Amino acid sequence: MSSKRKWDQAAPDGDSPPPKATKTEDGKSASEAAAAAAAIAAKIAAQFAGGGSSTTSLGPRDPHDGDFTHDIDINDVRNRYLLTKGTTQQQIHEETGASVSTKGTWYPDRAKATDKDPPLYLHISATSEEMLQKAIAKVNELINTDMGSLVEDKSNRREKRKWPEEKLPVGIESIRNFNVRAKVVGPQGMFVKYIQQETQTRVQIKGLGSGFIDQETNAEHPEPMYIHVTGPDETMVARAKALTEDLLEVVRAEHAKMKLLLEQQQMELHQAQLQYAAYSAYAVCITHRSLFPLPLFLAVSYTAAHHLHLFSVCITLGF
């Protein structure tokens, strides 16, 4: 005995076609399934309604989004660096409950942006209209925040951080085998580092021959070498000055010893040169004795014995 299926039944009165069959699961009736589908459709429609979610959509929809979304273009916004920081977006989430994420690509020339790769923007997702509007207001507030100059004014910085300072001239001339800068800073900068650690100051060797290059002029300071001491505490700067003066006294004493030694060496060298010149002149006289009369030979020999240069002998002899 066969039973008629639903689609085998006669159509109701009128020309309307039979209703489409609705597949049901777990024993749900067709009317319940239809009601669920209508609810989903209403939810989707609410997302695109004027009073609901996003009024602008710059990219594809995220399946993890809440019911209310909004996109804000920040490609040309001056504060975009602040808006794209993770800490900023986390702060907005904590204050409003909405989620904020960075999407798109930053273009210096936004004309190069495409639908596939839109310009840089913030994507806001919320579970309620109230959360969404709070997040939008917060983002707009950050956009309009005056961040000041993005380039630090070095002149103002120097004026604000004017520390006590001292300049101590080194006052030591450069001589052979005595590197003034190396003697002042010590092996591997040991002396200067010690003063800095003891006083919490900054000690620098500046001036001609110091090797310190000024960033503004790209050259050494055009003045004799000096030691520059600076720090936040005036007492510590004074102590660093005293230690630096002690250091310079030791270096100057060592410089004086080296200078005296070099003068002695120079004198010995000069005497050796005179002796060599005298011996050379005497040898010339002995070699050419037969060419000169006896009185002239004796005179030249006597002069050579007193360390006259060979050139003087030759001038006397008329060469």
Side-chain angles (χ1 to χ4, degrees):
M1 182 175 180
S2 62
S3 61
K4 289 187 176 181
R5 293 170 296 185
K6 198 170 185 66
W7 51 86
D8 292 333
Q9 296 176 2
D13 295 337
D15 298 332
S16 59
K20 221 171 188 182
T22 303
K23 183 177 181 181
T24 61
E25 296 178 356
D26 300 332
K28 289 183 180 179
S29 65
S31 60
E32 291 175 341
I40 295 174
K43 184 176 180 180
I44 295 174
Q47 293 179 0
F48 294 94
S53 67
S54 172
T55 56
T56 56
S57 179
L58 302 178
R61 179 173 174 78
D62 191 328
H64 302 290
D65 278 343
D67 296 338
F68 300 85
T69 60
H70 189 77
D71 294 339
I72 301 178
D73 188 334
I74 61 169
N75 189 83
D76 301 324
V77 173
R78 186 170 179 268
N79 295 349
R80 61 180 176 273
Y81 305 104
L82 173 65
L83 295 167
T84 54
K85 290 176 63 175
T87 53
T88 301
Q89 296 177 1
Q90 180 63 27
Q91 179 183 356
I92 296 175
H93 174 69
E94 292 174 355
E95 293 182 6
T96 67
S99 297
V100 182
S101 57
T102 305
K103 295 185 179 294
T105 304
W106 180 70
Y107 292 93
D109 180 7
R110 65 177 304 118
K112 297 181 180 180
T114 63
D115 293 338
K116 183 178 179 182
D117 296 313
L120 189 69
Y121 68 94
L122 291 183
H123 180 70
I124 306 175
S125 173
T127 57
S128 69
E129 175 68 17
E130 182 181 2
M131 287 184 180
L132 181 68
Q133 293 303 323
K134 285 183 178 180
I136 293 174
K138 185 63 179 177
V139 171
N140 288 331
E141 177 186 341
L142 294 174
I143 289 176
N144 296 322
T145 299
D146 184 8
M147 300 296 292
S149 176
L150 296 179
V151 179
E152 184 180 7
D153 189 342
K154 294 184 177 180
S155 61
N156 291 338
R157 182 185 66 183
R158 285 195 293 270
E159 291 177 2
K160 292 178 182 178
R161 296 181 60 86
K162 186 66 174 178
W163 285 351
E165 61 179 353
E166 292 286 349
K167 288 178 61 176
L168 294 88
V170 174
I172 302 176
E173 62 178 341
S174 179
I175 58 177
R176 181 167 54 90
N177 297 332
F178 195 94
N179 187 323
V180 177
R181 182 186 180 281
K183 293 293 184 180
V184 172
V185 300
Q188 300 179 350
M190 181 187 303
F191 301 155
V192 168
K193 290 178 181 177
Y194 171 76
I195 297 175
Q196 293 183 144
Q197 292 171 358
E198 288 292 314
T199 62
Q200 301 301 311
T201 58
R202 182 172 60 192
V203 181
Q204 294 175 304
I205 315 297
K206 298 183 179 181
L208 297 175
S210 66
F212 180 87
I213 304 300
D214 188 273
Q215 293 183 353
E216 295 181 358
T217 62
N218 199 30
E220 293 180 340
H221 291 186
E223 54 186 305
M225 189 184 301
Y226 65 93
I227 300 178
H228 182 251
V229 181
T230 182
D233 187 279
E234 188 173 355
T235 303
M236 288 300 177
V237 172
R239 185 174 177 221
K241 177 184 177 182
L243 291 174
T244 303
E245 289 175 341
D246 290 342
L247 170 63
L248 288 176
E249 285 185 10
V250 174
V251 175
R252 286 166 184 158
E254 185 178 353
H255 178 270
K257 291 180 180 178
M258 178 60 71
K259 186 177 181 180
L260 180 61
L261 178 62
L262 289 177
E263 289 176 354
Q264 292 176 349
Q265 292 177 348
Q266 186 69 25
M267 185 178 297
E268 292 175 358
L269 177 63
H270 181 65
Q271 291 176 350
Q273 290 175 340
L274 288 178
Q275 290 178 358
Y276 176 78
Y279 295 152
S280 299
Y282 187 75
V284 169
C285 293
I286 293 298
T287 304
H288 302 283
R289 176 180 178 181
S290 60
L291 299 178
F292 308 110
L294 181 59
L296 181 60
F297 169 74
L298 293 177
V300 171
S301 299
Y302 177 80
T303 304
H306 285 79
H307 310 295
L308 283 180
H309 192 272
L310 176 62
F311 180 74
S312 300
V313 177
C314 294
I315 291 298
T316 305
L317 297 178
F319 290 162

